[in-house]
Amino acid sequence: MKARVHVMLKNGVLDPQGEAVRHALGSLGFDGVQGVRQGKVIELDLAEGTTEATVRDMCEKLLANTVIESYSIELG
């Protein structure tokens, strides 16, 4: 089984990497970009029977800093 975890900074948390990407896009002539939020995707290969609750526990304990980041889980 596979799981994909999307981790993003919460709204209101400054995103200097996203701002750097926005600035670089503008420098390349892509002037229509008003904002960029950068995150990460973590793909997990899981043993059969691993539950979403277990993946959520992984996120809460290690994969996301829940003080400043939110996450979503896709199982498949």
Side-chain angles (χ1 to χ4, degrees), residues 4 10 13-14 18 23 27 29-30 32 35 40 51 62 64 66 72 75:
R4 183 174 287 155
K10 291 181 177 179
V13 176
L14 295 178
H23 179 72
S27 296
F30 298 103
K40 57 189 171 190
T51 65
L62 176 68
T66 56
S72 62
L75 297 177

Side-chain angles (χ1 to χ4, degrees), residues 7-68:
V7 181
M8 295 291 295
L9 289 172
K10 291 181 177 179
N11 289 334
V13 176
L14 295 178
D15 186 353
Q17 289 178 314
E19 185 58 24
V21 170
R22 187 199 61 76
H23 179 72
L25 288 170
S27 296
L28 293 171
F30 298 103
D31 298 325
V33 179
Q34 296 180 345
V36 175
R37 302 287 290 172
Q38 185 170 340
K40 57 189 171 190
V41 175
I42 302 165
E43 293 186 351
L44 304 168
D45 290 322
L46 303 169
E48 203 59 44
T50 303
T51 65
E52 184 173 349
T54 300
V55 177
R56 189 173 316 287
D57 197 32
M58 291 176 191
C59 292
E60 295 287 330
K61 291 182 177 177
L62 176 68
L63 301 178
N65 177 349
T66 56
V67 173
I68 62 170

